[in-house]
Amino acid sequence: MRAFIFPGQGSQKVGMGADLAVASAAAREVFEEVDEALSQTLSTIMREGPEADLTLTENAQPAIMANAIATLRVLEQEFGVSLADKGDCVAGHSLGEYTALCAVGAFSLADTARLLKLRGQAMQAAVPVGVGAMAALLGADIEKATALAAAAAQSEVCEVANDNDPTQVVISGHRGAIERAIELAKEHGIKRGIMLPVSAPFHCSLMQPAADAMAAAFEDTPPQSFTLPVYANVTAAQVTDADAERDLLVQQVTGRVRWRESVEAMATAGVTHFVELGGKVVGPMVGRIAKDAAVTSAITMEDLEALAKEIG
């Protein structure tokens, strides 16, 4: 069995998608459609920067999605590889879940871009800049990270945001609590904590205003039926029902990204090959979780050509 997986925020970089757009009309069409949907030249920011603009949450989220969908379209149109034929399920890390849903037809490309733009704006607006923070805990498993978060909270919010793999967990909450967690990390048997360069404390209860905004957005743009099952971040379980997925996307804004458990669930279900499209971020995480699985990450035309030959 094969899973197609999609990266989340942090995988953006200036120049992303530029070579693919030069090489393929299918990729150019994706970037043009996203530009039109957002009424902005996001593709120019992706290609030329400045990096500060690309890193803005409201730009980074649709940009990462657009790059991954462009990669998928090239695979499908240039190399004749159908996701529905060659995949058994899909998953994505945080915003990557929206990319996965776009890939299997739950949202149109234009709607996905608009939803992610709104999601980025709402997440940024939920907490004033400087009030929240996130930190990566290196050498931490979920038990150690949970205990540390509880110890550091001290009446503030400090919660596990991302359970990425057996060696890395991300926490999120009030800046003071996150700073305390970094100071206490070694006492909890954790190698170290590193403050992340993010503009808001994603995937914690401070994001409730953004969750409310997404719930309202889905009133007008609900997910439709999709062609392959999606493994949802907040349950680490397979979803096939569009209404259920809609509720899970709202919960995802404040909920933990259970990536390690999602990969374990896919592996338990029989997935032996994970294909990351549009990045080389979640693939390495998979390698640390499902050590016997084959992992392929595809970004360039050369990557896609090799992948097409591999999966035929």
Side-chain angles (χ1 to χ4, degrees):
M1 291 176 65
R2 181 178 294 111
F4 284 87
I5 57 176
F6 299 92
Q9 197 158 339
S11 58
Q12 74 276 356
K13 63 178 181 178
V14 174
M16 62 193 298
D19 291 344
L20 211 60
V22 170
S24 170
R28 288 195 297 277
E29 288 168 5
V30 169
F31 298 133
E32 289 165 3
E33 186 174 344
V34 170
D35 282 353
E36 184 176 349
L38 299 180
S39 300
Q40 73 172 120
T41 52
L42 182 63
S43 60
T44 301
I45 297 173
M46 293 168 65
R47 186 174 62 250
E48 302 173 7
E51 186 175 356
D53 287 355
L54 181 59
T55 304
L56 287 172
T57 301
E58 65 178 75
N59 291 331
Q61 294 198 23
I64 292 163
M65 180 279 298
N67 187 55
I69 293 297
T71 308
L72 171 62
R73 293 278 176 84
V74 172
L75 183 64
E76 291 179 329
Q77 296 180 27
E78 303 276 0
F79 297 104
V81 175
S82 165
L83 200 75
D85 290 341
K86 298 300 181 180
D88 296 283
C89 59
V90 294
H93 190 281
S94 190
L95 78 91
E97 188 167 337
Y98 287 76
T99 313
L101 287 163
C102 179
V104 296
F107 294 117
S108 70
L109 175 59
D111 282 342
T112 309
R114 285 189 285 262
L115 286 167
L116 284 174
K117 182 81 171 179
L118 172 64
R119 183 176 181 267
Q121 291 171 334
M123 292 172 91
Q124 185 61 67
V127 179
V129 173
V131 171
M134 300 179 76
L137 305 178
L138 306 183
D141 58 25
I142 189 64
E143 289 79 15
K144 290 178 181 177
T146 302
L148 173 61
Q154 296 181 18
S155 79
E156 290 189 309
V157 170
C158 188
E159 299 165 3
V160 172
N162 302 349
D163 181 6
N164 284 335
D165 65 41
T167 67
Q168 188 198 94
V169 178
V170 175
I171 55 174
S172 182
H174 286 107
R175 175 169 289 275
I178 300 302
E179 290 172 346
R180 285 192 293 274
I182 291 173
E183 292 173 4
L184 294 169
K186 289 189 176 178
E187 293 179 22
H188 284 75
I190 295 167
K191 185 177 177 182
R192 62 177 170 146
I194 301 174
M195 194 74 79
L196 294 178
V198 295
S199 54
F202 306 130
H203 297 293
C204 76
S205 54
L206 295 176
M207 287 285 109
Q208 187 58 49
D212 296 340
M214 295 312 298
F218 293 136
E219 292 291 327
D220 297 324
T221 313
Q224 305 300 307
S225 59
F226 31 98
T227 55
L228 290 177
V230 176
Y231 277 78
N233 283 182
V234 296
T235 59
Q238 189 179 108
V239 184
T240 56
D241 178 73
D243 288 338
E245 177 61 23
R246 169 181 171 166
D247 293 339
L248 293 171
L249 287 175
V250 174
Q251 295 174 37
Q252 190 220 54
V253 179
T254 58
R256 180 187 305 174
V257 175
R258 296 168 62 183
W259 186 250
R260 174 184 58 83
E261 294 173 87
S262 296
V263 172
E264 289 173 348
M266 285 183 272
T268 299
V271 173
T272 56
H273 186 197
F274 293 82
V275 179
E276 178 181 6
L277 294 178
K280 296 191 177 182
V281 179
V282 288
M285 291 182 196
V286 171
R288 293 189 287 271
I289 301 165
K291 294 188 177 359
D292 295 332
V295 181
T296 306
S297 295
I299 297 177
T300 66
M301 288 294 283
E302 292 76 16
D303 293 338
L304 291 168
E305 184 176 8
L307 174 61
K309 288 178 180 176
E310 179 185 356
I311 65 180

